[in-house]
Amino acid sequence: MFKLSHWSPPRILVTGFALIILLGGLLLSMPFASEAGTRTPFIDAVFTATSATCVTGLVTVDTGSHYSAAGQIIIVTLIQIGGLGFMTMSTLFAIILRKRISLKERLVLQEALNQSSMEGIIRLIRKVLLYSLTIEAVGAVLLAIRWSYDMPLGKAIYFGVWHAVSMFNNAGFDLFGQFGTPFVSFTRYVNDPIVNIVAMLLIVLGGIGFIVMSDVIDFRNKKRLTLHSKVVLSMTGALLAIGTIVIFIFEFTNEHTLGALGWDGKIWASLFQSVAPRTAGPNTVDLTQLRQATQFFIVILMFIGASPGSTGGGIKTTTFATLIGAVIAMIRGKEDIVMFKMRLGRERIFKALTITLLSLALVIFVTMLLSTTEDQAFLKILFETTSAFGTVGLSLGVTPELTMFGKIVISLMMFTGRLGPLTLAYALGPRTEKELFRYPEGKITIG
């Protein structure tokens, strides 16, 4: 007989997310959740629930046209729970009910938020909830005001709230398929500066992580940023700038994407398509019409993903920065990785290498597996697999055409990407014990 108190924090997280997905899948499969009033196939309902809880955005049926208002509310609730984390949401209720947060719960929260210690963890949770709800509320108001010119006020408010939650949590779900064309995403607003700016700000704020947001807000008092915040902000800015420039250059003459737009449209579309692969999911141009070089470049951006402690996936910006730092240090003949005049510990470097190699191996394996079961081009499958791993939600049209096996595999990929391969390995693997001895050092030739 098992005892929950004996479970490790990673195992509790994995089990909690799995139960939420199962419950969401059951609800979405009910007739009341579909617009037609019929049952949605259970595999499609679970796929949608997994995508929502893992804040991805990949869907086998169009969200706006297939699901009823009740189904859409279930989906956005799953997005909110998945984005903030079910432990964060349960802590919210504990705070409201003035219940004591146990040591075990604090350990799970530490694991969920990817923190190195429990110090100030409840204070951080309060900030997470406050920042999230405030940012979502502001985004909802701005979007509702803009969309009130396109639709009735009631629907504009509903759309504003729904999409603000989806964008901030980097989920990528949208409801615009109900206007006639399924899976259309934000393409009708490719030239709209208000929708572009609000959506991108929501995505970026959700993707940099709550620790960084708290650090930036406290900067006025502390007059300094932590190393973590400096690395996240600089790497995020660099990736967005590089992504915008590369997409602009590659697609400038493509008549099916940027080529048909004016200069302002080209800039907005390039910037938006650079922001979206940071685990967000929406798109303002038809991704299937992008050149293959651009599609592969987006795969790289999706693999890197967002930042630790955020609503996004991928190997994370800090992991990528650590790898770049290791390469630079090796080329320069230095023993230490130094960032902003601070040295990184070896355990951080080993963790970055482990996460990257595990993630790369997983993406490669799943891509090879799906290449044998799905009748799709290799790049499309690689794109879909990386999108699922990075909990991005961008697709080249493969998702609705997946076989039963493909849907199961992509669902598992989204689940792994949300929790992280390392957390999943800790949860499923045996408990490790501290080694009582060390082997003698040996040497091998590298390179």
Side-chain angles (χ1 to χ4, degrees):
M1 184 176 179
F2 68 87
K3 291 184 178 180
L4 189 62
S5 59
H6 293 167
W7 283 22
S8 65
R11 185 167 295 180
I12 293 174
L13 278 179
V14 170
T15 305
F17 268 98
L19 290 175
I20 290 169
I21 289 169
L22 182 59
L23 176 60
L26 286 171
L27 291 174
L28 289 175
S29 67
M30 298 295 179
F32 71 84
S34 73
E35 186 65 28
T38 58
R39 282 186 172 273
T40 300
F42 187 65
I43 182 63
D44 292 315
V46 170
F47 189 98
T48 303
T50 304
S51 185
T53 308
C54 298
V55 290
T56 305
L58 292 174
V59 287
T60 54
V61 293
D62 181 69
T63 308
S65 58
H66 178 82
Y67 290 104
S68 64
Q72 293 166 9
I73 290 172
I74 292 171
I75 290 172
V76 81
T77 303
L78 291 174
I79 290 171
Q80 187 74 84
I81 294 173
L84 298 181
F86 76 93
M87 279 304 298
T88 304
M89 298 300 290
S90 63
T91 304
L92 169 63
F93 291 113
I95 292 172
I96 293 173
L97 297 174
R98 299 183 181 279
K99 291 182 63 178
R100 181 177 172 274
I101 311 297
S102 68
L103 177 62
K104 187 70 174 181
E105 290 167 335
R106 291 170 190 262
L107 285 169
V108 179
L109 286 168
Q110 176 190 342
E111 179 70 26
L113 292 173
N114 202 14
Q115 296 294 289
S116 56
S117 72
M118 287 189 298
E119 183 180 357
I121 194 71
I122 302 303
R123 188 166 59 252
L124 178 60
I125 291 296
R126 292 176 187 271
K127 289 183 178 180
V128 166
L129 294 168
L130 176 62
Y131 298 161
S132 300
L133 296 178
T134 302
I135 292 170
E136 287 174 354
V138 173
V141 170
L142 294 174
L143 290 175
I145 292 173
R146 168 60 188 87
W147 285 331
S148 65
Y149 292 93
D150 298 343
M151 57 189 78
L153 181 60
K155 175 166 275 192
I157 294 173
Y158 176 67
F159 265 51
V161 173
W162 206 97
H163 289 92
V165 173
S166 179
M167 293 303 101
F168 178 73
N169 288 288
N170 283 203
F173 281 82
D174 72 90
L175 301 178
F176 293 105
Q178 65 184 250
F179 292 116
T181 306
F183 310 109
V184 72
S185 194
F186 280 56
T187 52
R188 63 189 300 182
Y189 295 104
V190 63
N191 286 303
D192 193 304
I194 296 176
V195 173
N196 274 270
I197 291 171
V198 174
M200 287 189 292
L201 283 175
L202 287 170
I203 292 167
V204 171
L205 289 173
I208 61 174
F210 302 110
I211 311 160
V212 177
M213 273 195 283
S214 176
D215 204 21
V216 170
I217 291 172
D218 293 340
F219 179 76
R220 187 169 56 182
N221 299 324
K222 295 182 178 179
K223 302 300 181 184
R224 64 183 179 86
L225 295 175
T226 62
L227 175 62
H228 172 81
S229 296
K230 290 178 182 177
V231 172
V232 167
L233 292 173
S234 59
M235 185 55 63
T236 299
L239 288 172
L240 291 180
I242 293 170
T244 302
I245 294 169
V246 170
I247 292 171
F248 184 85
I249 293 173
F250 283 4
E251 296 298 318
F252 186 82
T253 58
N254 186 347
E255 289 299 323
H256 301 291
T257 55
L258 302 191
L261 303 173
W263 275 97
D264 56 340
K266 285 180 168 64
I267 294 171
W268 286 125
S270 300
L271 184 57
F272 197 95
Q273 265 56 235
S274 177
V275 171
R278 313 303 310 289
T279 84
N283 53 281
T284 57
V285 297
D286 187 353
L287 299 181
T288 62
Q289 299 297 323
L290 294 173
R291 292 190 169 109
Q292 288 190 344
T294 311
Q295 292 173 348
F296 185 72
F297 178 72
I298 289 177
V299 167
I300 297 172
L301 293 179
M302 292 192 296
F303 185 74
I304 297 171
S307 303
S310 72
T311 57
I315 63 171
K316 305 294 191 295
T317 52
T318 49
T319 302
F320 185 61
T322 301
L323 296 178
I324 292 175
V327 171
I328 293 174
M330 178 62 68
I331 292 174
R332 297 176 63 185
K334 304 290 185 181
E335 291 187 5
D336 298 323
I337 299 176
V338 178
M339 297 180 181
F340 297 98
K341 298 182 180 180
M342 296 192 76
R343 172 175 57 85
L344 294 187
R346 290 189 178 275
E347 74 280 358
R348 303 288 175 184
I349 303 169
F350 287 143
K351 187 174 183 179
L353 287 170
T354 302
I355 289 172
T356 304
L357 288 178
L358 278 177
S359 302
L360 189 60
L362 184 63
V363 169
I364 291 173
F365 173 74
V366 172
T367 301
M368 293 173 63
L369 185 64
L370 292 179
S371 294
T372 63
T373 63
E374 311 301 312
D375 186 20
Q376 299 287 344
F378 177 79
L379 183 56
K380 287 187 175 183
I381 293 176
L382 175 63
F383 195 99
E384 190 85 4
T385 302
T386 311
S387 179
F389 167 75
T391 68
V392 180
L394 295 176
S395 177
L396 298 181
V398 173
T399 319
E401 300 176 7
L402 288 171
T403 62
M404 174 77 77
F405 180 78
K407 291 175 183 177
I408 294 172
V409 171
I410 291 296
S411 295
L412 291 173
M413 197 66 168
M414 291 188 288
F415 187 75
T416 304
R418 178 65 182 96
L419 291 167
L422 211 53
T423 298
L424 208 58
Y426 288 153
L428 301 178
R431 289 188 176 184
T432 57
E433 298 181 357
K434 187 176 179 62
E435 293 184 349
L436 301 178
F437 64 93
R438 297 179 70 187
Y439 290 99
E441 183 178 335
K443 293 183 178 180
I444 61 174
T445 303
I446 303 293

